[in-house]
Amino acid sequence: MRLTGNLALSLLAIVLLALGAIGFADKTEELINRGHDQTEAKASTDDRSADKSPAEHQGHGAPAQGELHNHDLRGQELAQAPGHAHSGGMCPMMAAKQYTTR
Amino acid sequence: MKKLGFLTHALRQRWYPSTLQVVLAIIFGFILLQLIVGPASEGQNPGTVITWLLWWPLIPLTFVLAGRFWCAVCPFGTVGDWVRKLSGLNRPVPSFIKNHGLWIINGLFLLVTWYDVAYGLTTSVPATAVLLLLVLIGAAGFSLVYEKRAWCRYVCPVGGIFGNYSQTAFIELRGTREICQDCADMHCYKGREDLPGCALFVSPKNLASNRTCNFCGDCLKSCRKDSPKVVLRAKPGDELWRKARPRFDEAFLAASLVGLIAVSTLGMLEIWPVMIEPLSGALGLGYAAAASIYMLLLVAACLVVYTAGTYFSARLNKESFKLNFSRFGYALIPLNLTTHFAHNLSHFLGEGRLISGAAMTLFYPLTAAQAAVKTPAAGHGGAAGLIGDPYIQAIQFSLVGLGIMLSFYVARRVALAGGNDDTISWPHYAVIALFGFISFWLFSLPMSPRH
């Protein structure tokens, strides 16, 4: 009986944790998107002021084929950084994934 | 415990493990050759693809199913065995290495992970080649100087890290108590005639943990009394709470692994560049420095959280902080294992098709393989994936949930095994819940679009 109770409590805790984490992830995603939109808006303003097309402005606007859409990370270093989500890190598979889009 | 006669019999055969060792050594030789002379692109090179897309993601599973069986057939250990047989000095292992082996392992694993996070190891063909060569030189060098498999027991980062996981294995090899207690021969440990004794410096008579058994079968062959047996554990993982002497270094490793797994998962997510940007932008740090800071912060944060949990449990049971830290660290191992596997599985399932592409370079260099591998990726789990993202995420969530539940269970058993009330484990339930929440959160976040 006690084991069943513990099991039920654990399951409840896990479900609550998972639901909480999903909600928190949604909020995080909103923040990322908001930051992303602001960045793109700023980039677009900067681009207009500099009279450059988005493609000419490194790191902003739609990435050309084979380039990284790098969330306004400044400079090529971040875009090409090994641990960067687009290019690698400990995750083995990023390497291969990156290759697929080359 | 159910005796597994067929496995015991198999491990006693002359062909085991040497035949498997030779086959894997040949495969390893091929991988190393490809890394040195093969395609420069990591996604094309069979060496990097086999190492980081196939072997590394799936290796934790073998430790759950069969303990440190991999270590018995590991090519590095095999080369070490050959070196030792040819010209080994067979000196005793220095006590410093014996006493601090796991700290050396912790340090080496942190170093390798740091290099990968900061500079990219898995994304680099030359760096992968250098790593494998360094491990090979280490294993051969140790075998040249020291007796038995000193490298595997005391220094190897793979065996050391996954050794923690092997404690949850379904099977174990142990001596038969009634036979061992009156045995003075100790052939299992010392060996006899041309049969070697235990390569990991332990007799089955005293074997208490899967961490120090690699199922090489040497003790089975050497023992004349038929004492060692492979058995199916009635409760896989029960050694986590039955430790006569819980180890501080193993607990430290378990707590720091939570942070290492988290940082490696973060590196795959959209949020990672958003996190890196303030450090690189405002402080003017390079990528490597910013990523290193995050890695250190995450590992330190996990250790602080676990230390806080330990502080409260020590106050509750009036036992020393060190003892509590050591005991309850084992409760993190199931969560370590399942989150690590969930992380790795996403790569294997999410990009598994690339393995066949790289394998094709063996037969059709740079033609059919390129066509297969260069398929544009439609996001994680897209063209390169074996299954879709939602399925992968469901598996990851299930694994994390399972890990939390098992860690809760182990924490409770640890408290009870110490003769305490299970309320002692409540602080650790909170720690496990927090780590579990972070894992759920990380696996809920969107992957990088190009990942």
Side-chain angles (χ1 to χ4, degrees):
Chain A
M1 194 64 197
R2 180 160 186 178
L3 183 68
T4 315
N6 285 337
L7 195 67
L9 270 177
S10 300
L11 279 173
L12 181 67
I14 289 163
V15 170
L16 289 175
L17 283 171
L19 290 175
I22 290 169
F24 188 48
D26 284 344
K27 290 284 173 202
T28 315
E29 205 172 343
E30 270 177 41
L31 282 173
I32 296 171
N33 290 337
R34 200 180 304 160
H36 201 175
D37 291 346
Q38 283 170 358
T39 300
E40 286 187 342
K42 184 175 178 296
S44 146
T45 311
D46 290 351
D47 287 340
R48 273 200 300 276
S49 62
D51 196 26
K52 282 181 178 176
S53 71
E56 289 169 311
H57 196 117
Q58 185 187 352
H60 297 300
Q65 188 165 5
E67 289 180 356
L68 299 170
H69 190 163
N70 64 1
H71 308 280
D72 197 35
L73 289 177
R74 293 181 308 120
Q76 200 61 21
E77 186 196 8
L78 282 175
Q80 292 175 340
H84 186 273
H86 294 160
S87 60
M90 185 174 179
C91 313
M93 336 13 331
M94 299 173 187
K97 196 72 166 191
Q98 182 191 27
Y99 173 74
T100 60
T101 48
R102 277 181 190 161
Chain B
M1 285 187 292
K2 181 178 165 44
K3 286 180 185 169
L4 299 172
F6 66 99
L7 270 183
T8 306
H9 180 72
L11 263 59
R12 209 175 268 138
Q13 300 308 305
R14 279 273 173 188
W15 54 263
Y16 177 84
S18 53
T19 311
L20 289 173
Q21 284 177 331
V22 169
V23 171
L24 285 166
I26 291 168
I27 294 172
F28 173 72
F30 159 76
I31 287 172
L32 204 53
L33 187 70
Q34 285 291 330
L35 287 169
I36 294 168
V37 301
S41 163
E42 68 274 10
Q44 247 182 333
N45 191 302
T48 40
V49 171
I50 293 172
T51 304
W52 301 122
L53 279 177
L54 187 66
W55 174 76
W56 183 249
L58 295 184
I59 194 73
L61 187 63
T62 68
F63 283 78
V64 181
L65 295 175
R68 289 186 66 168
F69 158 74
W70 165 258
C71 300
V73 295
C74 165
F76 300 113
T78 300
V79 172
D81 288 344
W82 293 342
V83 168
R84 196 169 50 256
K85 274 177 194 163
L86 280 173
S87 51
L89 301 174
N90 286 309
R91 291 192 179 152
V93 182
S95 56
F96 175 82
I97 295 176
K98 279 185 175 177
N99 295 333
H100 300 95
L102 205 57
W103 289 110
I104 298 171
I105 287 169
N106 286 348
L108 285 175
F109 194 71
L110 267 171
L111 189 70
V112 172
T113 309
W114 166 76
Y115 183 86
D116 188 43
V117 169
Y119 298 104
L121 170 65
T122 57
T123 50
S124 164
V125 174
T128 303
V130 168
L131 176 73
L132 297 191
L133 280 171
L134 283 176
V135 177
L136 186 66
I137 291 168
F142 259 69
S143 301
L144 186 66
V145 179
Y146 301 120
E147 59 181 341
K148 304 190 175 188
R149 280 198 175 193
W151 170 267
C152 307
R153 169 76 196 268
Y154 297 112
V155 188
C156 175
V158 176
I161 300 300
F162 292 133
N164 257 12
Y165 300 161
S166 72
Q167 299 177 80
T168 65
F170 285 94
I171 60 171
E172 66 182 23
L173 188 152
R174 298 288 185 270
T176 308
R177 191 182 300 167
E178 298 74 34
I179 300 174
C180 290
Q181 64 190 2
D182 300 323
C183 176
D185 299 335
M186 296 288 282
H187 289 139
C188 56
Y189 181 74
K190 297 179 202 164
R192 64 178 168 88
E193 290 117 38
D194 62 333
L195 297 170
C198 177
L200 295 186
F201 305 86
V202 183
S203 151
K205 180 180 179 178
N206 304 318
L207 188 57
S209 171
N210 269 6
R211 182 176 254 294
T212 46
C213 174
N214 64 3
F215 295 92
C216 66
D218 283 345
C219 60
L220 285 157
K221 293 177 188 123
S222 320
C223 178
R224 285 197 168 112
K225 297 167 184 168
D226 223 10
S227 172
K229 298 275 188 299
V230 180
V231 297
L232 190 67
R233 285 170 152 180
K235 281 191 181 173
D238 64 348
E239 70 168 271
L240 296 174
W241 63 83
R242 289 185 196 279
K243 297 273 176 193
R245 282 188 302 170
R247 293 184 54 155
F248 186 83
D249 46 9
E250 288 183 16
F252 184 93
L253 173 63
S256 53
L257 258 182
V258 177
L260 289 176
I261 295 166
V263 79
S264 63
T265 305
L266 263 174
M268 303 158 57
L269 305 175
E270 272 190 358
I271 197 177
W272 180 241
V274 179
M275 288 170 66
I276 291 282
E277 194 179 355
L279 280 184
S280 61
L283 300 179
L285 295 174
Y287 175 85
S292 306
I293 287 173
Y294 273 117
M295 182 184 143
L296 284 176
L297 283 177
L298 266 166
V299 173
C302 289
L303 286 168
V304 167
V305 167
Y306 178 64
T307 301
T310 303
Y311 169 78
F312 287 114
S313 66
R315 286 197 62 165
L316 286 168
N317 66 6
K318 313 285 186 213
E319 288 176 331
S320 74
F321 173 85
K322 191 178 176 185
L323 184 61
N324 272 277
F325 190 101
S326 308
R327 270 188 192 152
F328 283 99
Y330 293 95
L332 296 177
I333 290 176
L335 188 61
N336 278 164
L337 173 65
T338 54
T339 49
H340 195 168
F341 193 53
H343 169 91
N344 286 357
L345 209 57
S346 68
H347 301 310
F348 177 69
L349 294 176
E351 293 162 297
R353 285 192 195 173
L354 296 168
I355 298 167
S356 56
M360 269 194 269
T361 58
L362 307 179
F363 308 106
Y364 311 104
L366 304 181
T367 53
Q370 279 185 331
V373 177
K374 278 192 171 175
T375 309
H380 189 81
L386 295 175
I387 59 174
D389 274 350
Y391 299 106
I392 294 172
Q393 203 174 35
I395 295 171
Q396 287 173 327
F397 265 62
S398 306
L399 283 168
V400 173
L402 179 69
I404 295 171
M405 184 174 283
L406 293 174
S407 283
F408 279 163
Y409 180 72
V410 175
R412 181 170 180 272
R413 295 303 301 251
V414 167
L416 296 176
N420 297 299
D421 189 73
D422 65 352
T423 50
I424 306 302
S425 53
W426 278 93
H428 293 285
Y429 289 161
V431 171
I432 292 162
L434 179 63
F435 289 161
F437 177 85
I438 293 169
S439 302
F440 276 134
W441 175 63
L442 289 172
F443 289 126
S444 304
L445 285 170
M447 305 284 276
S448 166
R450 286 169 54 98
H451 181 79

